[in-house]
Amino acid sequence: MNSVPFYSLDYVSDSLGSELSSAFDAVQKSGWFIRGRFCQQFETAFAGYCGVKHGVGVGNGLDALTLMLRAEIELGRLKKGDEVLVPANTFIATILGITSAGLVPVLVEPDETTFNLDPSRLAAACTAKTKAIMVVHLYGRLAAMNQICAFAKERNLRVFEDAAQAHGAELSTIGTIFAESGKAQMRAGAFGDAAAFSFYPTKNLGALGDAGMVVTDDDELAKVVRALGNYGSAEKYVNRYQGVNSRLDELQAALLLKKLPQLDCWNQRRREIAARYIAEIKNPAVILPKTATADHVFHIFAVRAESAAARVQLQQFLQARGVESMVHYPIPPHLQEAYCNEPWAENVHLPITEALAKQELSLPMGPYLTDAQVAQVIEAVNAFNPNAGF
Ligand SMILES: *Cc1c(COP(=O)(O)O)cnc(C)c1O
């Protein structure tokens, strides 16, 4: 029996190998390796792709989150100790970005059908200290941006996006809240005051190493993020802020420039695979995501088992049929040891988040999958019966 790996990046070298090699040669010959023309070109190209003015390349996605928030503090728009509403079931980096900027996460339960922030719970989570919302487009599905941004406007809250899993995800119905922007198309990264992207290798758009970017329409914010990533300096040897070293290097930028034109096509293949999973997986013991529209770029194809025990069974059953799967994520941030003494993590009641952590299972997803592999996954999932031994 052939096995279906959870992910493989072979499709990148198979389809673009020689272009990537030529990008490497071009950087090597240029003799300039940090913040040069490739970085500038990729910043312009990716910001343009997202539909915003500025892109600032940084070292990775976590730095993009942290520096975006630190820049807001330097600009006096947020201050240390301010509360940020954030989905409780996100990847740890979202929360690390908030806490390392000196802000306080307020964990909000997700909608259990979308795994994304539930806008109906925002009002109850607000206090006098709440100053911002950090949205996460989890698994590649756009959060409910029309509702969330309308709520934020009403309450005068800043909005930031953790778009690390959602390169290219596009809003299908542009709400009145965005009407004055005049944009005909709105992609992840264009909704809030600023957005953080990661180009970790397995993301929908990935580098061949670590890389990240902050995108924003805000001139001031872009300048401060750029300075913060360069020792806090906009002018050589003049340090306005206590910065860090977090820059997008030329090599990764040149490689990403070659990959960006393929992103829509890769996302389209992910949606095709998702549409087949949704149409052809018919097993009452496996709860499927709902749509395969442009809102969702299926960074991860997340299904839900009926219980913690059923998930263990399902994962073992698939493994026995050669289908790899993974859990995203087994321990939610508030239950991590790293945050065990934080008041915001201790006195919380998050039953939906905790249930999803026990029941979520991710099926193989990516442009690397062949039709035969997709069929193998579907057959294996359909054959699963939680009540039968195997
Ligand atoms: C990957 C990821 C990050 C962090 O990106 P890195 O480049 O790995 O630092 C942040 N948030 C989410 C939701 C992610 O999936």
Side-chain angles (χ1 to χ4, degrees):
M1 179 178 44
N2 295 321
S3 69
V4 185
F6 185 73
Y7 36 53
S8 159
L9 294 172
D10 290 350
Y11 71 96
V12 177
S13 38
D14 289 349
S15 60
L16 289 178
S18 62
E19 287 207 51
L20 298 180
S21 302
S22 76
F24 179 87
D25 289 346
V27 173
Q28 191 185 16
K29 285 195 189 107
S30 77
W32 189 283
F33 305 113
I34 302 280
R35 285 195 172 173
R37 69 184 167 92
F38 290 106
C39 180
Q40 245 173 34
Q41 272 178 37
F42 180 63
E43 287 174 340
T44 304
F46 190 70
Y49 177 84
C50 295
V52 300
K53 263 164 84 181
H54 303 284
V56 182
V58 296
N60 54 65
L62 173 56
D63 285 355
L65 287 161
T66 309
L67 297 183
M68 161 174 94
L69 296 173
R70 279 199 57 196
E72 285 276 305
I73 294 173
E74 295 292 356
L75 287 164
R77 297 165 182 174
L78 294 177
K79 59 178 189 314
K80 291 202 172 177
D82 282 350
E83 291 177 356
V84 181
L85 307 185
V86 61
N89 61 323
T90 186
F91 177 56
I92 194 69
T94 318
I95 307 297
L96 288 170
I98 294 170
T99 57
S100 49
L103 301 165
V104 178
V106 174
L107 306 174
V108 180
E109 288 265 67
D111 173 332
E112 63 181 347
T113 67
T114 63
F115 295 93
N116 270 338
L117 194 62
D118 181 349
S120 75
R121 293 174 184 269
L122 290 170
C126 279
T127 73
K129 287 181 160 178
T130 308
K131 293 289 149 44
I133 305 176
M134 174 69 75
V135 167
V136 183
H137 307 303
L138 198 70
Y139 307 146
R141 182 199 291 268
L142 279 187
M145 297 316 291
N146 290 319
Q147 290 97 307
I148 293 170
C149 289
F151 177 85
K153 190 173 180 193
E154 195 184 293
R155 301 284 178 120
N156 204 18
L157 304 174
R158 309 283 291 165
V159 176
F160 305 100
E161 299 169 67
D162 179 341
Q165 302 188 351
H167 317 70
E170 216 174 290
L171 192 64
S172 44
T173 312
I174 298 181
T176 47
I177 180 77
F178 301 118
E180 67 190 39
S181 78
K183 291 177 183 171
Q185 180 188 53
M186 289 195 78
R187 287 187 171 139
F191 299 102
D193 293 290
F197 282 91
S198 162
F199 305 110
Y200 181 79
T202 59
K203 306 289 187 188
N204 291 36
L205 179 63
L208 275 64
D210 275 316
M213 193 178 288
V214 174
V215 302
T216 181
D217 272 327
D218 184 324
D219 303 348
E220 288 302 306
L221 189 63
K223 265 187 220 158
V224 179
V225 171
R226 193 176 295 285
L228 282 172
N230 191 44
Y231 321 112
S233 156
E235 188 188 336
K236 205 160 181 143
Y237 307 128
V238 179
N239 298 86
R240 178 131 182 223
Y241 315 107
Q242 295 177 23
V244 296
N245 176 355
S246 184
R247 301 174 295 216
L248 173 59
D249 66 70
E250 286 291 281
L251 187 55
Q252 297 306 338
L255 296 168
L256 285 163
L257 263 173
K258 295 287 189 189
K259 291 182 72 178
L260 178 58
Q262 302 304 317
L263 175 60
D264 285 342
C265 163
W266 287 332
N267 280 343
Q268 183 52 32
R269 177 65 186 150
R270 286 173 184 271
R271 280 194 294 266
E272 265 171 41
I273 295 165
R276 276 199 67 186
Y277 282 164
I278 292 169
E280 296 176 47
I281 292 177
K282 292 194 166 72
N283 186 334
V286 177
I287 304 162
L288 296 170
K290 284 210 176 72
T291 70
T293 64
D295 288 71
H296 203 328
V297 291
F298 292 94
H299 173 59
I300 281 169
F301 191 89
V303 304
R304 194 175 162 189
E306 286 165 325
S307 66
R311 179 179 66 192
V312 174
Q313 272 192 322
L314 175 60
Q315 188 163 30
Q316 288 172 356
F317 183 87
L318 296 178
Q319 189 64 48
R321 276 155 188 74
V323 174
E324 286 182 2
S325 59
M326 281 182 75
V327 171
H328 297 93
Y329 301 91
I331 307 174
H334 69 285
L335 299 178
Q336 296 286 356
E337 194 177 345
Y339 288 130
C340 68
N341 293 317
E342 302 289 338
W344 56 261
E346 275 186 324
N347 308 311
V348 288
H349 178 62
L350 299 165
I352 298 174
T353 298
E354 291 177 19
L356 292 179
K358 292 192 181 108
Q359 296 173 9
E360 190 275 347
L361 191 70
S362 308
L363 301 183
M365 171 51 75
Y368 68 93
L369 289 169
T370 64
D371 289 344
Q373 287 176 314
V374 173
Q376 188 179 337
V377 175
I378 292 166
E379 267 169 46
V381 177
N382 283 341
F384 173 64
N385 178 353
N387 303 312
F390 61 89

